[in-house]
Amino acid sequence: RADFRQEFAIKEDELVCLMIGSDFTRKGLGRSILALAALPESLREKTKLIIIGSDKPDKFNRLAAQNGISRQLTILSGRDDVPRFLLGSDMFLHPAYSEAAGNVIIEAIIAGLPVLITDVCGYAHHIDAAGAGLVLDSPFHQWRLDAAVTQSLDSKFLADCKAGGLAYAEREDLYSMHRTGAAMIEQLVEHQCKAIS
């Protein structure tokens, strides 16, 4: 936990909200910046938002500056040490506009990282099933995300979500979902080919 926090001069009492993924607009970085800006001042001052991914950061840096939270936002290009960020952050934010599946959501659960996402993410049901965070229902409203981020940064809520996520990862097979899905698609295609023949 300490290593990336030291690297980025994050104090022990500060909270880190993590986002991971390229195409910052689709992942909801703008929404996250506005939610961070809407936090009560005492909470906002001790909360950081880190996003790791490939995209142009300029408009998001401007949005952060316009909302007075430039100091709280760190945008990093793709890295090969993402697991240490998953293990050392306090919350995973993923208020995406669209997301077919979202492997990083599963990675966050496995890392015991509480998750706050939108219901348009394909793997959102795992968050509800695990009790590992909050899923925002459609249609999206910024004020709901703002309130959910404030709620999610409560220390008891974070601890409960972490415990729920870790327990879920222990009892559910989250590791072979892709293989299982691919096998089901192959069986379906094979069945349809036979039906056509």
Side-chain angles (χ1 to χ4, degrees):
R1 176 183 163 103
D3 63 350
F4 94 78
R5 288 176 175 252
Q6 289 172 355
E7 181 182 342
F8 294 96
I10 297 167
K11 298 172 186 166
E12 190 59 37
D13 66 336
E14 290 182 316
L15 299 167
V16 176
C17 298
L18 179 66
M19 293 185 70
I20 299 171
S22 300
D23 190 353
F24 295 162
T25 297
R26 188 172 59 82
K27 300 296 182 186
L29 178 55
R31 292 171 168 181
S32 294
I33 290 170
L34 294 176
L36 188 63
L39 288 172
E41 185 178 358
S42 60
L43 188 54
R44 184 176 64 243
E45 287 300 312
K46 68 173 193 170
T47 303
K48 306 283 188 188
L49 175 61
I50 296 176
I51 182 161
I52 302 171
S54 299
D55 203 345
K56 295 177 183 172
D58 297 349
K59 75 175 183 177
F60 300 102
N61 283 324
R62 283 195 301 274
L63 182 61
Q66 290 163 3
N67 285 276
I69 61 161
S70 292
R71 189 181 66 77
Q72 282 94 343
L73 177 65
T74 301
I75 299 176
L76 304 173
S77 57
R79 302 171 64 105
D80 60 5
D81 61 347
V82 169
R84 72 183 182 125
F85 287 85
L86 284 166
L87 293 169
S89 296
D90 296 288
M91 181 176 71
F92 184 75
L93 259 175
H94 200 77
Y97 285 81
S98 67
E99 185 73 72
N103 294 339
V104 72
I105 295 165
I106 302 302
E107 292 168 6
I109 292 172
I110 292 167
L113 191 56
V115 179
L116 172 52
I117 63 172
T118 49
D119 65 354
V120 297
C121 300
Y123 290 156
H125 64 281
H126 288 292
I127 303 305
D128 279 335
L134 295 174
V135 178
L136 297 176
D137 293 331
S138 295
F140 177 85
H141 295 284
Q142 184 65 44
W143 64 268
R144 285 187 184 153
L145 176 63
D146 299 349
V149 171
T150 301
Q151 176 188 346
S152 296
L153 290 173
D154 172 75
S155 59
K156 183 179 183 324
F157 183 84
L158 289 173
D160 290 348
C161 291
K162 180 174 185 162
L166 289 173
Y168 186 74
E170 281 288 316
R171 71 177 181 267
E172 296 294 324
D173 181 11
L174 300 176
Y175 305 95
S176 65
M177 286 190 310
H178 309 301
R179 287 191 304 274
T180 304
M184 289 172 64
I185 291 169
E186 287 173 4
Q187 288 174 353
L188 180 62
V189 169
E190 184 180 323
H191 178 71
Q192 289 180 339
C193 288
K194 286 179 182 176
I196 293 171
S197 304

